[in-house]
Amino acid sequence: MLKKDVEVFKQAILNEVEGYEFYKMAAYNTPEEDVKKAFLNLANEELKHIDWLKDAFKKLSGNPDDKTTLALIENPPSPEIFRWNNLQTKNANLAVSVFGIGIEMERASVLFYENAKNETTYDAAKQLFEVLAKWEKVHLDQFSRAYDDLIKDWWMEQGFDAF
């Protein structure tokens, strides 16, 4: 793999570590147990992503054009965290803020992987970065839907009726 491809993996892992710390901090700043549990689930998903990225990096660090190695890399774990029917919170400020920041983190991740895919010369790395961009796009869509629901609660908390 090229040095810049290695740097992509290093940055991707760091991004996941930052996400983990962010969601953990959010969990410990809410008094509501259900919301705390939801944020801790988000944090734990980031840990799974770190493990997946490390494993994928090990498998690709040999010969990046080896199709057999690429075939051994399973798809990223499905985010099981978004099965909430409707996240209700008494303090919508925190939830809206966390999801708003989460949206920006996911949007930046999509762009990061799309750029990495366009800049690498190795087909195996291109395929992997494309999978990762799609993975983050799914997260972005899920965060956006949750945010849209939470923002309604936030506006109500501010004393505004929905238009």
Side-chain angles (χ1 to χ4, degrees):
M1 242 187 301
L2 294 175
K3 183 179 182 198
K4 66 182 175 180
D5 294 330
V6 172
E7 292 301 316
V8 168
F9 274 95
K10 287 170 57 178
Q11 185 61 51
I13 291 168
L14 179 59
N15 292 350
E16 298 296 337
V17 168
E18 289 173 352
Y20 167 75
E21 293 297 337
F22 174 72
Y23 295 124
K24 194 169 73 168
M25 179 181 63
Y28 292 118
N29 281 299
T30 184
E32 298 173 56
E33 285 305 312
D34 287 346
V35 176
K36 183 179 295 211
K37 190 183 287 187
F39 289 146
L40 286 174
N41 284 338
L42 286 166
N44 288 329
E45 282 295 313
E46 299 295 346
L47 290 177
K48 290 178 189 175
H49 299 170
I50 292 166
D51 290 342
W52 187 89
L53 284 163
K54 286 179 179 179
D55 184 55
F57 176 74
K58 284 179 192 172
K59 289 176 180 169
L60 278 181
S61 61
N63 179 358
D65 292 322
D66 182 358
K67 301 294 183 198
T68 305
T69 300
L70 186 63
L72 295 175
I73 299 173
E74 296 179 20
N75 285 332
S78 173
E80 300 294 328
I81 51 178
F82 297 101
R83 290 189 179 174
W84 316 313
N85 289 334
N86 200 1
L87 178 63
Q88 296 294 322
T89 176
K90 294 174 189 154
N91 180 358
N93 285 337
L94 178 64
V96 166
S97 297
V98 168
F99 278 85
I101 292 168
I103 286 169
E104 293 309 313
M105 289 174 14
E106 298 299 335
R107 187 174 287 133
S109 292
V110 170
L111 185 60
F112 174 74
Y113 289 125
E114 287 174 347
N115 288 338
K117 178 186 135 194
N118 293 333
E119 292 176 10
T120 189
T121 57
Y122 290 114
D123 287 339
K126 279 185 189 292
Q127 291 173 17
L128 184 66
F129 296 149
E130 184 174 351
V131 167
L132 291 167
K134 287 178 183 176
W135 177 27
E136 298 297 347
K137 177 73 170 103
V138 168
H139 294 173
L140 174 61
D141 292 344
Q142 291 168 329
F143 268 78
S144 295
R145 284 192 300 275
Y147 181 83
D148 289 345
D149 289 340
L150 289 167
I151 199 74
K152 293 172 191 167
D153 292 339
W154 185 83
W155 279 115
M156 294 289 279
E157 204 173 85
Q158 304 308 308
F160 293 101
D161 288 331
F163 297 105

